[in-house]
Structure formats: C-alpha cells, structure tokens
Amino acid sequence: MLGVITNDKKSQAMLRDSQGLDHLIKILDTKELNDLHIEALSVVANCLEDMDSILLIRQTGGLKKLLAFAENSTIPDIQKNAAKAIAKAAYDSESRKLFHEQEVEKCLVTLLGSESDGTQVAASQAISAMCGNAGSQDFFNTQGIPQLVRLLKSDNEEVQEAAALALASLTTCNPANANAAAEADALGPLTSTLSSKRDGAVANAATVLMNMAMQEPLRAAVQSQDVLQALIGPLGSANTVVQSKAALAVATTVCDVEARAELRNRGGLEPLVELLHSKNDEVRRHASYAIMVCAGDELTATELYRLGALDILEEISLSVRRKNKFSEAAYNKLLNHNLSLKYSQTGYLSSSNIISDGFYDYGRINPGTKLLPLKELCLQEPSDRRAVLLINNESVDGSLLMEDKSSDLSYRRSISSSSSLRRASKEKTTSLFSTGFGSPTELKSEPTSGRNTVLSKSATKEKGPRKGRGKKEEEKVKEEEEVLAIPKLTGESSPEKEWYPPPDPHFCTYVYDVTRSILPVTNVKEQVEVLAKYVAEKMGGKIPKDKLPDFSWELHISELKFQLKSNVIPIGYIKKGIFYHRALLFKALADKIGVGCSLVRGEYGRAWNEVKLLDPSWKGVTGAFSAPETWIVDLMFHPGALMKSGGREANLYQFL
C-alpha cells in the first residue's frame, strides 16, 4: 500500500516526517525480513524522487546501506528495483551529486554484470541518468563503456536499447568517451543495432555513431563499417526521432567526397530529400543540415538537384513557419552549384562562385519562379523579352578550345584567321551567327529549323535563294565554318541526337587573349585595370556619361536576336554592351585567369564588379597590416578606374 501511496509528493513528505524511511531501511537491513525487501525497496525508490528524503537517508547512513544492499543482493528483482530507484533520483542534479559522492557508479557497473535482463536494463538507464554529472562520465570511461558495448550484443533488444541509450549519453559532447567506445570495438555492434526492430535502439545507436563521427580521427573508422548503408533504412523510418537521429548521423559522416559518393551510389540521397517534406521541425532541420553537407561536391549536388531538393528547399524558404537556418544554408549551398539560378534569384555571385561554361544570365526572377533550362531557352523563338547571355568556351563537340593552346600553331592560325574575318566583315555578321545553336548532328537532321542551323552545303543551298548568296558567298561561309572549327556532321541515322550549347568563338578568342597577355601580370591591381580596358574595348569602348543615351545597344541586341533567331546570345557576339553585359564578361574572363571578383546586379540594367585590394598607401610600412578594401571596377565611363565601394563615384556608377 505504501508503494502505491508514495507516488504522490505529499505522501512522500508525510512518510519522511513520520520517520517511515528509517523503518524501511531497517527492513532492508534485516535478512529475516527478506520477503519484504522487494516491496520496501519500491517504496524507497519512490521517496528518492524527493530531495529532502535523499538528504535524510544520507544523514542517517541509509544511502550507503541502500547501495551496498543493491550491490550485494542476489535477487534480480531487488537489484532491478534498486537500479530503478537510482535512475529516478538521478534525474535531479543535486541527487546526482550526492550519488556521485557515495560512489554509486561502482554499484551500477556491478549491476551491469547481472545475468538478469531486467537488471541490465535498469542499470543502463541509471548510468544514462548519471551522465549529467561530469565525474560520473569520467568514471564510466574505463569501467562502464566496455560492459555496455558487451550488452549491445545481447539477444534481448530491450537490453540493446538501454545499453545504446547509456552509450549515447556518455559520448555526447565527450570526445574521450567516444574514443573509449571505439577502443571497446563498439562500431560493429552499433552498426548492427541500426537494423533493430526497436525504434529507441536505432535512434540511440545512430546518436552514438554521430558522436563518434564528429571526431575526425574516428570518422574513417565509422565509414569503414558500412554505416552509411546501414543508415539508409532508418532514414526511411516512420518514427520521427529515428529519422532525426539518422539524418544527423549522415551529416557527421559524409564530410568527404568518398563518403558522399558512397551515400549517392547506395541510394541514400532519395530518403534524405524525402525528409524535407516532414511536418516535424527537428526532422526537417536535421535533413536540411545533412543536405547542406552533402552539397559539398558537384556530383552529389547535381544528384540532389535532380531529386528536387532545391525546389523543396526553395518552397521551405518561402514559408515563415517551416524554414530554418539549416534549410537556408542548404539552399544557398545547392545554389552554388547552379550559378545561373543563383544569379537570377539573388543577383549576386561572390569571388568563390566561379562561372563555368554553360552559365547563362536569364535576368532577374522572383522566388518560386522556375528557371528554364538552357536547351529549352535556345529552342524558343526570339521575343521582345530581355536577351539571355551565355558563357561558353567550349567547341561544339564539347572539348575545350582554350586549354593551354599557346603552343598550338594551328590554333593560333585559326584565331588569327577568325580575327581577320571579323575585321574584314564587321557588319556582315549573319554567317558568323549561323554557326549553330545545337548539336551538329541534330541540326543537319532538322534543316528547317532556322534557329538551329549549322552552315553546311544543304543549309547554304537552302538559304542561298532567300539571302541572295552566290557561289562566292557559299565558299566564304565554308571558310568561316572551318575557322570556327565546327566538326563535320555525323550520325545522321542516330535517333537520339546529343545537344550542345551554342558555340562562342569570339569568347574563346577573348579567353586566349587574356590568358596570354593578362595572366602573366603579377600585380593584381594591374590585372584588374588591364582586363577592364580589354572588356570595354570589346563591348563598344569608353562611353561618356552624356553620350550614354545615344549608345544604341538595344538595336544591336535586337539585331543579334534576329540574326541568331533566338533570345540566347553568346556573350562574345555582343559588340555594344552596357553595364550588365560588360560586368558579366569581366567576371567570366576574370574567373578564367584566377582574378577574384564578384558580380552584382543592380536596378535598371546596372551591374558591376567588386574586387578586394590592399590599400596601396600601406605598402612598405613596417609592421603595418591593412585588411583588403572593396573597389568597384569602372567598365563604362573610365574603363580600368577603381572606385572605393561606398564612395560618391561608386554610388553614381552603381545607382545613377
């Protein structure tokens, strides 16, 4: 009856004030009353939840008697109830402190060695509760962890769960205990526990593995146990706690390219992306964290993008309730592998965002708006909307034209020939623009597509009557075709034609020029200035502010769209460009030669580049240090001039 009554706090106090605890301890201390020991111990366990009762038992010496009784008893139920009593009381910090002073850890380690599953479970739970005390954690480092690892191999899944819980508590924020678990060969049993039918066991095992993987020296050992394969099942669990812990374990384990490749190849990204749909905040947060880590390399980020992770994260970011810092970080990390979308959405590319071939500037889009792929944009008819600017330094067959070709004589001849043709026929650009907006094989099989036409004999004959071309014009076209190094049309009978982005021989020439003439310059400031002048020269030269309204760049862009029969214009074809054309070309060329700069989109067609340079006034000052300052590069009015960010000149360039 006392066991039932003392579940109430007031009753515990009444029993204490009536000296009932003394009588209970005397019963436990009397061997002849062993038939009452289990029930008496149950009452004491309830009273141990009351701090005043613990102090009273300690003052009377009853606490030591209680621990000795539990440690020396041979009756499993008595040991189990004693461990449960300690576990109940140990959730209070003051109680833990008192228990530690009484060396309760020795008693609990002894109870772990019991043959009773119930006692093992209770002792493991008590150890978990005692982990709130730093001294207890240190004690269990050598005398508790090996025994708990042994219990992980138990046939009883409840024992496995309790042991994993104790290990999870011991290793959390405790690298020494994580190392001790590894030394006790816990990795194998923990990995096996991930396939347990008990959700608690799986969640606890995942937590221990996470704590171990957070230690860099242990991470390789964790990865070697096929932990990532074992975590895929828990990621698909219906239990939110298991999902959350598994996602965290993945995040701490896939910190290198090899681990991310393993997760990707084993199909672990699909369930991870699926967790982003969870209605549970913690699951969604931890899944976002794991995806942020997984997006550390391009192949994995591409696969995540294919699985729709970017779209889901964007949807989450638009929700005030569902978004979190990890979802925002994961979204931005994935955007770094899709710079076209990033620039369209955010209007900003940092110096670490390196523009690669295939990048295109679609213009500003609102959050939630889908960015059409480049192929689809290329196949659209020209319209009155803003031209899409394309960066492409690859030839039609996908091989790079600009990889260390300074010693390639035939390449230099083709560049020279291309330049002379451009000078000889500056206004007659139609033939140059018809170099193709698709795969050569695809275009030959579809000669009726005016937008996707590669110059061939059949295409020339078709266009000849319309354009009034004669034999000489056909020969000239053929010569230009050879200059631009477009491969011969092959594979006409193939049903599937590979598509290529529109080539840009002019941009290829630009890359060759700046690589040869600007890359060798050792002074970064001088590199920036020379590159700015080069870009301005290719885009129409210096434009006085009062002459800007007369600079007919809109007509030039419209003509290009008409001649290319597309809204997509390779950047090299633009000979009259304003702020946003020049800024993009500057960034693309700077990235090719390793000059760090950012690209920022402003309002009303403005865009600019920011570079970080040391203040030259500090040069030669002994012991002085100055952080790099941000400068805006003038590409329009005084090409090559640098304006300090935030200054009056910079503001006029950016906003007026």
Side-chain angles (χ1 to χ4, degrees):
M1 181 162 299
L2 282 175
V4 175
I5 293 173
T6 51
N7 283 310
D8 177 69
K9 289 283 185 183
K10 289 183 179 179
S11 298
Q12 293 170 6
M14 290 173 66
L15 183 66
R16 181 189 69 234
D17 295 340
S18 303
Q19 287 80 44
L21 288 172
D22 292 339
H23 293 294
L24 290 167
I25 295 298
K26 287 178 182 177
I27 291 174
L28 293 174
D29 209 21
T30 305
K31 292 182 179 180
E32 292 76 13
L33 299 176
N34 58 8
D35 59 323
L36 299 177
H37 285 175
I38 294 175
E39 289 80 4
L41 194 58
S42 177
V43 179
V44 173
N46 290 340
C47 292
L48 287 179
E49 294 180 13
D50 176 55
M51 187 61 199
D52 291 331
S53 297
I54 293 178
L55 289 172
L56 179 62
I57 294 174
R58 182 197 178 200
Q59 289 169 0
T60 58
L63 192 56
K64 272 196 172 182
K65 288 182 181 179
L66 177 65
L67 295 177
F69 173 76
E71 191 172 352
N72 297 325
S73 175
T74 57
I75 302 174
D77 283 346
I78 288 179
Q79 292 180 321
K80 179 178 71 174
N81 287 350
K84 283 184 176 180
I86 295 169
K88 276 186 177 182
Y91 283 106
D92 179 82
S93 60
E94 290 298 322
S95 300
R96 286 196 297 270
K97 184 178 179 182
L98 288 174
F99 279 141
H100 179 60
E101 291 173 356
Q102 299 296 320
E103 297 182 325
V104 72
E105 296 88 358
K106 292 181 179 179
C107 173
L108 293 176
V109 170
T110 300
L111 295 180
L112 284 178
S114 169
E115 294 182 359
S116 165
D117 291 341
T119 302
Q120 293 172 351
V121 169
S124 298
Q125 291 171 340
I127 289 174
S128 177
M130 284 299 299
C131 283
N133 182 280
S136 296
Q137 288 200 26
D138 293 340
F139 178 91
F140 292 125
N141 179 274
T142 55
Q143 299 189 50
I145 289 178
Q147 290 87 336
L148 289 168
V149 171
R150 179 179 58 80
L151 294 183
L152 283 176
K153 304 172 186 176
S154 170
D155 295 332
N156 187 311
E157 291 197 335
E158 188 178 358
V159 174
Q160 292 178 10
E161 179 178 351
L165 173 64
L167 286 171
S169 301
L170 283 167
T171 55
T172 297
C173 301
N174 194 317
N177 283 347
N179 282 307
E183 291 172 3
D185 297 325
L187 283 172
L190 286 169
T191 305
S192 299
T193 306
L194 290 176
S195 59
S196 171
K197 295 177 181 178
R198 296 181 68 91
D199 289 336
V202 177
N204 295 332
T207 302
V208 182
L209 290 167
M210 174 191 70
N211 292 336
M212 296 173 74
M214 289 176 69
Q215 312 305 316
E216 190 172 350
L218 297 180
R219 191 175 302 134
V222 173
Q223 293 168 348
S224 68
Q225 292 290 326
D226 287 333
V227 168
L228 289 173
Q229 174 68 45
L231 284 170
I232 294 176
L235 286 175
S237 169
N239 185 290
T240 56
V241 176
V242 173
Q243 292 172 347
S244 174
K245 301 301 183 184
L248 269 181
V250 168
T252 54
T253 307
V254 293
C255 294
D256 56 74
V257 175
E258 291 78 11
R260 289 192 285 267
E262 181 185 349
L263 183 69
R264 183 177 70 246
N265 295 333
R266 292 180 181 271
L269 296 180
E270 289 91 339
L272 195 59
V273 171
E274 192 61 31
L275 292 183
L276 293 175
H277 291 295
S278 175
K279 295 180 180 179
N280 184 283
D281 292 343
E282 186 175 90
V283 171
R284 203 165 53 250
R285 182 167 58 250
H286 292 168
S288 299
Y289 175 38
I291 286 175
M292 179 191 73
V293 178
C294 287
D297 67 88
E298 184 137 6
L299 287 175
T300 309
T302 302
E303 180 65 11
L304 287 169
Y305 187 79
R306 187 188 69 79
L307 294 171
L310 191 66
D311 294 335
I312 303 170
L313 288 167
E314 182 179 12
E315 179 188 338
I316 292 173
S317 68
L318 297 175
S319 169
V320 176
R321 187 185 64 82
R322 298 175 65 214
K323 71 178 180 181
N324 56 75
K325 290 183 178 180
F326 285 124
S327 66
E328 293 175 357
Y331 181 67
N332 290 329
K333 195 78 171 285
L334 280 175
L335 272 185
N336 286 335
H337 295 280
N338 190 337
L339 296 185
S340 300
L341 179 60
K342 180 176 183 178
Y343 189 51
S344 290
Q345 283 196 351
T346 67
Y348 179 78
L349 295 181
S350 69
S351 57
S352 62
N353 295 142
I354 306 301
I355 291 178
S356 59
D357 299 319
F359 172 90
Y360 59 101
D361 175 14
Y362 179 84
R364 191 192 308 274
I365 62 173
N366 296 322
T369 305
K370 303 300 180 188
L371 180 64
L372 294 177
L374 178 60
K375 180 178 179 180
E376 190 170 336
L377 291 171
C378 287
L379 297 177
Q380 288 179 350
E381 295 292 334
S383 66
D384 58 356
R385 79 165 308 279
R386 180 190 184 279
V388 179
L389 307 179
L390 172 66
I391 302 296
N392 188 17
N393 188 42
E394 292 187 356
S395 64
V396 179
D397 64 356
S399 60
L400 287 175
L401 287 174
M402 287 298 159
E403 284 193 7
D404 194 23
K405 297 199 176 184
S406 58
S407 62
D408 189 338
L409 184 60
S410 62
Y411 176 77
R412 287 201 296 265
R413 277 204 296 263
S414 70
I415 291 295
S416 174
S417 176
S418 176
S419 300
S420 63
L421 277 172
R422 206 162 49 244
R423 286 194 299 270
S425 182
K426 188 174 182 181
E427 297 300 324
K428 297 180 181 179
T429 54
T430 304
S431 60
L432 284 174
F433 294 131
S434 58
T435 53
F437 272 67
S439 162
T441 55
E442 176 186 6
L443 300 179
K444 184 167 183 180
S445 65
E446 297 177 358
T448 58
S449 175
R451 180 173 62 257
N452 299 335
T453 305
V454 172
L455 292 175
S456 62
K457 290 182 180 180
S458 60
T460 307
K461 287 177 183 178
E462 181 182 346
K463 287 189 172 185
R466 187 175 72 244
K467 298 283 185 178
R469 286 180 177 151
K471 235 177 182 182
K472 291 183 179 179
E473 187 70 5
E474 289 183 12
E475 292 173 358
K476 179 180 177 182
V477 168
K478 185 177 180 181
E479 180 185 359
E480 289 178 353
E481 180 186 21
E482 293 171 354
V483 168
L484 298 177
I486 297 179
K488 297 294 182 183
L489 304 178
T490 56
E492 292 175 331
S493 59
S494 175
E496 292 295 329
K497 310 300 180 181
E498 187 175 0
W499 180 87
Y500 296 104
D504 190 351
H506 308 291
F507 183 69
C508 293
T509 304
Y510 297 167
V511 174
Y512 174 74
D513 288 345
V514 300
T515 302
R516 183 186 58 183
S517 59
I518 300 178
L519 181 59
V521 177
T522 56
N523 184 284
V524 178
K525 180 174 179 291
E526 188 177 341
Q527 282 183 318
V528 171
E529 292 171 342
V530 175
L531 181 58
K533 292 175 182 176
Y534 181 88
V535 168
E537 175 192 345
K538 299 303 177 184
M539 287 271 183
K542 173 181 177 181
I543 311 296
K545 290 183 181 180
D546 57 342
K547 299 294 184 183
L548 186 59
D550 301 326
F551 188 58
S552 56
W553 65 273
E554 297 99 330
L555 177 60
H556 173 62
I557 297 297
S558 297
E559 290 174 346
L560 287 177
K561 290 201 293 186
F562 173 76
Q563 292 162 344
L564 291 167
K565 296 181 176 59
S566 174
N567 277 330
V568 178
I569 300 178
I571 193 74
Y573 287 112
I574 299 175
K575 306 307 174 188
K576 287 187 176 182
I578 59 164
F579 296 89
Y580 73 93
H581 304 112
R582 299 185 184 204
L584 176 58
L585 179 59
F586 183 91
K587 167 70 172 169
L589 291 175
D591 287 347
K592 293 293 184 184
I593 60 174
V595 174
C597 76
S598 60
L599 175 63
V600 187
R601 191 198 309 282
E603 301 291 340
Y604 309 111
R606 296 286 173 116
W608 57 89
N609 303 104
E610 295 176 348
V611 296
K612 291 187 178 294
L613 299 170
L614 290 173
D615 191 330
S617 63
W618 287 83
K619 188 176 181 181
V621 180
T622 305
F625 174 78
S626 174
E629 295 182 326
T630 303
W631 301 80
I632 308 299
V633 184
D634 189 337
L635 301 172
M636 289 289 294
F637 309 128
H638 304 285
L642 298 177
M643 303 164 285
K644 187 170 290 188
S645 180
R648 181 175 178 276
E649 287 186 1
N651 289 335
L652 289 173
Y653 185 86
Q654 293 168 291
F655 308 116
L656 297 178

